[in-house]
Amino acid sequence: MIVDLPDTTTSKLSKALVTIREDGGAVALGRVLTLVISTRLGAEEEAIEAANEASREHPMRVIVLSTEADGEPSSVGDRLDAQIRVGGDAGASEVVILRAYGAVADNEESLVTGLLLPDAPVVAWWPGEAPERVSTSPIGRIAQRRITDASAAADTHAALRGRAENYAPGDTDFAWTRLTLWRAQLAAVLDQPPYEPVTAIEVSGASDSPSTELLAAWLQLQLQVTVTHELSMAHGSSGIHGVRLTRASGNVVLERPVPDIATLIQPGQPTHDLSLPRRSLRDCLAEELRTLDPDVLYGQVITEGLPGLGQPVTLRARAN
């Protein structure tokens, strides 16, 4: 069910939610958190779809706050349009969409506060461009966890460095969440014989992949070995291209030459093809919602590992 409330107020919206709850049953029961999505007008649907899918694992109330781009004059004056989605149109969640125009959008915190579930944790997510310091932003101040995505920024690597400079416990980024499968596979390789120390590491990835830098920073921090990382123009595969670990017995190579499939090469063992797809927004969001405690390892990697990482190898075209 979808209920449109054009040119409304947060008070009228709250009353409409109560009416829907009374008419359709206690739809708020079982909600474990409130997810606040801060985005731009017209860019809401992809984030809502990911939240709806993730809500099947984490039932929640989703509040989407959409505003006009900074510096753009309001096309409709000062007003608030709202929409409520419940039932089949909202997965296992209830979705409240706030489209704020003009001066109405100036106080984001007040628009959202009255719609939060009582006594439930709050998670904030910026699917696109995020504030420079998310922990002190109007939405970030009310959230226990704050999720950004450096890959959505115009300059992905500058955005990642900004996350490092302004990090606060509770911050996380999808550039880190996308590394889960890579980190698990590399850890599994190093947990097998011959247990030799790694003497050199090379990491390569697309020029617009902040995850490549985070993977290099994680490996350098954990193995205490200087990492060489190469950022190149992607042909056939975006994101991370591969990792090479040098040991006395030979090189361990995990590379992804084509989307979704990686090849693992180890000395004295047959070559293995592994499923290593790029993770969807739904997968990343669901993983981040599984724990509301600060991600201590991400904090170490972003504040200690990333600043200690050397400059990437000069960009070049990657061969087919």
Side-chain angles (χ1 to χ4, degrees):
M1 179 174 67
I2 297 178
V3 178
D4 288 309
L5 299 169
D7 197 9
T8 189
T9 64
T10 54
S11 176
K12 293 178 182 178
L13 179 56
S14 297
K15 292 177 181 178
L17 282 169
V18 172
T19 300
I20 291 172
R21 186 175 303 123
E22 291 175 346
D23 293 344
V27 296
L29 292 180
R31 303 294 184 244
V32 298
L33 59 89
T34 302
L35 175 66
V36 181
I37 303 174
S38 179
T39 186
R40 295 302 180 195
L41 288 165
E44 309 96 344
E45 291 304 326
E46 185 179 14
I48 292 173
E49 182 180 355
N52 286 346
E53 293 177 2
S55 72
R56 304 185 191 283
E57 183 177 339
H58 310 281
M60 56 189 167
R61 172 175 290 178
V62 180
I63 302 173
V64 183
L65 178 59
S66 299
T67 58
E68 295 168 300
D70 293 337
E72 288 188 4
S74 174
S75 57
V76 295
D78 303 333
R79 61 181 285 169
L80 175 67
D81 293 339
Q83 185 180 83
I84 302 171
R85 301 181 186 179
V86 295
D89 296 294
S93 64
E94 53 186 357
V95 179
V96 180
I97 303 173
L98 306 174
R99 296 184 175 94
Y101 302 87
V104 175
D106 292 342
N107 196 338
E108 297 179 345
E109 186 175 353
S110 66
L111 289 174
V112 169
T113 301
L115 301 173
L116 302 178
L117 291 175
D119 302 320
V122 178
V123 178
W125 175 28
W126 290 264
E129 294 281 354
E132 182 177 358
R133 187 184 292 271
V134 294
S135 61
T136 58
S137 66
I139 298 300
R141 284 196 299 262
I142 62 176
Q144 285 75 47
R145 288 296 298 273
R146 298 168 293 274
I147 305 170
T148 53
D149 191 350
S151 67
D155 187 333
T156 59
H157 303 290
L160 196 61
R161 301 288 170 168
R163 305 283 190 270
E165 294 173 2
N166 298 302
Y167 172 79
D171 291 355
T172 191
D173 195 279
F174 278 170
W176 172 251
T177 320
R178 293 187 181 100
L179 293 181
T180 299
L181 300 180
W182 282 87
R183 293 194 295 120
Q185 188 60 55
L186 291 169
V189 168
L190 295 175
D191 280 343
Q192 300 173 7
Y195 307 115
E196 297 171 330
V198 176
T199 58
I201 304 173
E202 298 176 18
V203 178
S204 61
S207 58
D208 60 350
S209 169
S211 295
T212 301
E213 282 193 283
L214 281 183
L215 180 60
W218 172 70
L219 286 167
Q220 182 167 285
L221 187 66
Q222 297 298 310
L223 299 178
Q224 296 297 300
V225 177
T226 300
V227 175
T228 300
H229 65 294
E230 174 188 287
L231 303 178
S232 59
M233 299 300 293
H235 289 278
S237 179
S238 54
I240 301 167
H241 293 156
V243 178
R244 180 184 297 270
L245 307 176
T246 300
R247 300 194 291 192
S249 60
N251 294 331
V252 175
V253 179
L254 179 64
E255 60 180 359
R256 186 171 59 185
V258 295
D260 299 338
I261 303 297
T263 301
L264 176 61
I265 303 172
Q266 302 180 80
Q269 296 190 30
T271 299
H272 296 284
D273 288 334
L274 308 171
S275 176
L276 198 62
R278 295 201 71 196
R279 307 190 75 195
S280 65
L281 281 181
R282 183 268 177 210
D283 291 337
C284 291
L285 182 60
E287 178 179 325
E288 288 297 343
L289 295 179
R290 285 176 194 142
T291 176
L292 298 179
D293 295 326
D295 189 332
V296 176
L297 182 57
Y298 168 73
Q300 292 176 339
V301 171
I302 198 78
T303 60
E304 301 173 23
L306 189 64
L309 194 64
Q311 292 298 312
V313 173
T314 304
L315 299 179
R316 59 177 177 80
R318 190 171 185 267
N320 288 319

